[in-house]
Amino acid sequence: MKIFLVGASGGMGRTFLSMQDQIEIVAGLASKEGEIEGVKIYKEFSDVKEDFDAIIDFSNKDLVDQTIDFAVEKHKPLIEATTGLEDSSMERLKQASGKIPIVYARNYSLGINTMTDLVERVAKVLADFDIEIVEAHHRNKKDAPSGTAFMLLDSVKKQRQVEEIYDRTDLHRVRQDDEVGISAIRGGSIFGDHTVIFAGEDEVLEIKHKAASKKIFAKGAIKAAKFALGKEPGLYSIKDIMKMGD
């Protein structure tokens, strides 16, 4: 399977480039043209000459619309992993999925996606427990809260009507029953930690996921690319990928 990698010079891009024993990166796109780990890197989509089977995008939200147009032009499956997308980009993804297969997820870790299922189930069973979501990432992550924190919040919302609270500094009141607090921590080189706390009377249940390496996200995206090959046009989720055998 031949992959064109968008965001090749970023942290996730370099992770993919270090895993070429598992995947063939034929070329990539980044802010500066050149070569990384023997792979040709372009600055403009219009200059790309190589053929490939699928596109994996771990770049930034400002580049997503161009990436979608490139995928449609080349008629190739797109594995979209960029977080913090604008509503207009999401709409563009949906429209493009009528022409090509697109897999979109805010987190490609299979462990995290299992966690979202667990959180949904526990939110239903422990209906009177307070819920807090805490996420921690490296000091260079720009968006906060993380896309994964919003995934976990969405799981809660499937079972409860809640209001998310990001800052209690000026509230000056006791916690309300329908609140879900979301806290973001930024520091050091933390790859990504997510905890959902269910706090009841005299007992606390925590569901936690710790990422020890960015490779877990790359492995999920590679699995998604294999899934997308030969699929009909459509917008697919990580849940579809998890149903697929190795």
Side-chain angles (χ1 to χ4, degrees), residues 30-187:
S31 58
K32 292 184 179 180
E33 190 165 344
E35 192 173 285
I36 304 176
E37 300 291 337
V39 175
K40 172 65 178 176
I41 306 299
Y42 294 92
K43 185 178 180 181
E44 302 293 340
F45 284 114
S46 57
D47 295 334
V48 176
K49 300 178 179 64
E50 288 78 3
D51 189 25
F52 49 87
D53 299 312
I55 301 165
I56 295 179
D57 179 16
F58 274 84
S59 60
N60 64 77
K61 64 181 183 180
D62 296 329
L63 195 57
V64 167
D65 289 354
Q66 294 179 53
T67 303
I68 296 169
D69 291 344
F70 178 66
V72 171
E73 176 192 342
K74 296 296 185 180
H75 205 71
K76 300 293 186 180
L78 171 61
I79 312 307
E80 184 54 66
T82 303
T83 59
L85 297 189
E86 304 290 345
D87 290 343
S88 59
S89 294
M90 285 302 305
E91 183 58 35
R92 204 169 188 136
L93 270 180
K94 292 175 184 176
Q95 292 177 0
S97 69
K99 301 176 181 178
I100 59 172
I102 296 176
V103 180
Y104 172 69
R106 288 177 286 190
N107 189 305
Y108 277 85
S109 158
L110 301 183
I112 278 289
N113 283 280
T114 300
M115 181 180 178
T116 62
D117 289 340
L118 291 172
V119 167
E120 181 181 348
R121 291 168 58 189
V122 175
K124 180 179 180 180
V125 174
L126 303 182
D128 60 343
F129 279 48
D130 296 327
I131 301 175
E132 294 282 308
I133 298 172
V134 181
E135 59 96 342
H137 283 85
H138 53 86
R139 69 193 313 273
N140 293 317
K141 184 173 176 62
K142 295 179 180 178
D143 58 314
S146 66
T148 302
F150 286 118
M151 285 175 63
L152 295 166
L153 176 63
D154 287 345
S155 293
V156 173
K157 286 184 173 181
K158 289 179 180 178
Q159 297 297 335
R160 300 192 195 179
Q161 290 189 341
V162 296
E163 176 189 2
E164 54 266 36
I165 302 295
Y166 302 102
D167 184 5
R168 292 192 171 92
T169 306
D170 297 321
L171 291 180
H172 299 294
R173 60 169 170 77
V174 299
R175 182 194 176 95
Q176 306 299 298
D177 291 338
D178 61 351
E179 289 181 5
V180 173
I182 303 179
S183 303
I185 297 168
R186 295 289 176 268

Side-chain angles (χ1 to χ4, degrees), residues 16 19 22 108 214-224:
F16 278 104
M19 297 171 64
Q22 302 178 40
Y108 277 85
K214 290 181 179 179
K215 287 184 178 181
I216 64 172
F217 311 118
K219 289 177 180 178
I222 291 169
K223 190 166 185 176

